[in-house]
Amino acid sequence: MKKKILDYFTIDGAVGGNQEWFKNVVMYIGGCAAATACDCCICLALHRGMEELYPYDVYALTREDYVNFSMKMKPYLRPRVNGVNKLYMFTDGFGAYLAHVGRTDILMEEFPGERTYEDAAEFIRRQIDAGVPVPYLMLRHKKTYYKDFVWHWFLCYGYEEQEDGLWITVATYGESSTFSLRDLWDTGYEEKGGLIGIHIGL
């Protein structure tokens, strides 16, 4: 059974950044897309040498710098009434930030939630094996177990193949969680989220 967890980062003991640090009320409530993009940038800056993605010292991460960075990301992935609830909103917004910092070699692929679990598992495996975390949007879910992840962007940075399918490791709100992708993907609702594939140097 294969397992791969990407190197991530911590800030003041938190796994990744934390939306609950945001002082801006709108970002505190609806800044999950921006926070996910910020975490992506830090991961790529720290572990792939793309330091221009993060405007502060990536080797001395602080909560204050992270909050300031989120406000720089806000115009690109601004919270709105229904949230950043479409994949293209993320790829358009994050793509504009990447272009702003001169990384036109980073492309994004939208993987809609209507696709099968098997395709989603293969997509995540391929991205993690390439050393790139996967932004994940979940809109609704029939199980209250996932209530903290409803209408929410978070970042997948690892997987493990088990007998019952693929389990994924994700970060959000400064914490790491592990879920059965099969269970998470089967939301029970017609309105789906999806995944974002980040491709470097294509």
Side-chain angles (χ1 to χ4, degrees):
M1 295 292 182
K2 187 175 179 181
K3 178 178 181 178
K4 181 158 187 175
I5 308 292
L6 298 180
D7 289 333
Y8 208 60
F9 65 94
T10 58
I11 302 176
D12 292 348
V15 179
N18 188 341
Q19 182 181 338
E20 294 178 338
W21 296 340
F22 297 163
K23 299 178 178 70
N24 180 278
V25 175
V26 175
M27 287 289 282
Y28 180 88
I29 295 170
C32 58
T36 298
C38 288
D39 283 19
C40 265
C41 287
I42 294 172
C43 284
L44 294 174
L46 196 57
H47 305 303
R48 300 293 293 266
M50 301 179 185
E51 294 180 25
E52 64 273 32
L53 296 184
Y54 183 65
Y56 305 98
D57 185 354
V58 76
Y59 302 105
L61 296 167
T62 68
R63 179 168 167 168
E64 181 182 6
D65 285 349
Y66 183 85
V67 172
N68 290 336
F69 183 33
S70 75
M71 292 305 291
K72 292 181 184 293
M73 191 65 75
K74 180 188 174 189
Y76 299 95
L77 287 164
R78 59 178 180 80
R80 56 206 87 185
V81 175
N82 291 319
V84 181
N85 64 340
K86 304 291 183 187
L87 298 181
Y88 77 84
M89 293 179 180
F90 188 92
T91 56
D92 286 355
F94 191 31
Y97 173 78
L98 295 173
H100 172 72
V101 297
R103 293 306 303 232
T104 55
D105 60 327
I106 300 176
L107 303 178
M108 281 175 283
E109 174 187 2
E110 297 169 7
F111 184 94
E114 291 80 9
R115 300 275 298 273
T116 67
Y117 152 74
E118 289 78 13
D119 286 347
E122 178 56 33
F123 186 86
I124 289 173
R125 266 194 296 261
R126 187 169 66 245
Q127 290 297 114
I128 299 297
D129 286 349
V132 184
V134 182
Y136 193 128
L137 169 65
M138 188 170 77
L139 297 177
R140 306 176 189 277
H141 205 287
K142 61 186 177 183
K143 295 187 177 178
T144 56
Y145 177 76
Y146 300 113
K147 60 181 170 51
D148 292 339
F149 291 79
V150 166
W151 221 262
H152 192 56
W153 283 94
F154 47 96
L155 198 58
C156 171
Y157 68 98
Y159 71 82
E160 182 175 7
E161 294 173 354
Q162 298 191 15
E163 289 185 3
D164 60 348
L166 199 73
W167 284 67
I168 60 172
T169 300
V170 306
T172 192
Y173 295 120
E175 297 181 349
S176 177
S177 302
T178 302
F179 297 126
S180 161
L181 178 64
R182 188 187 301 277
D183 197 50
L184 191 67
W185 197 253
D186 181 18
T187 65
Y189 288 92
E190 196 170 315
E191 190 174 20
K192 308 286 187 184
L195 309 169
I196 304 293
I198 297 172
H199 304 291
I200 300 164
L202 296 179

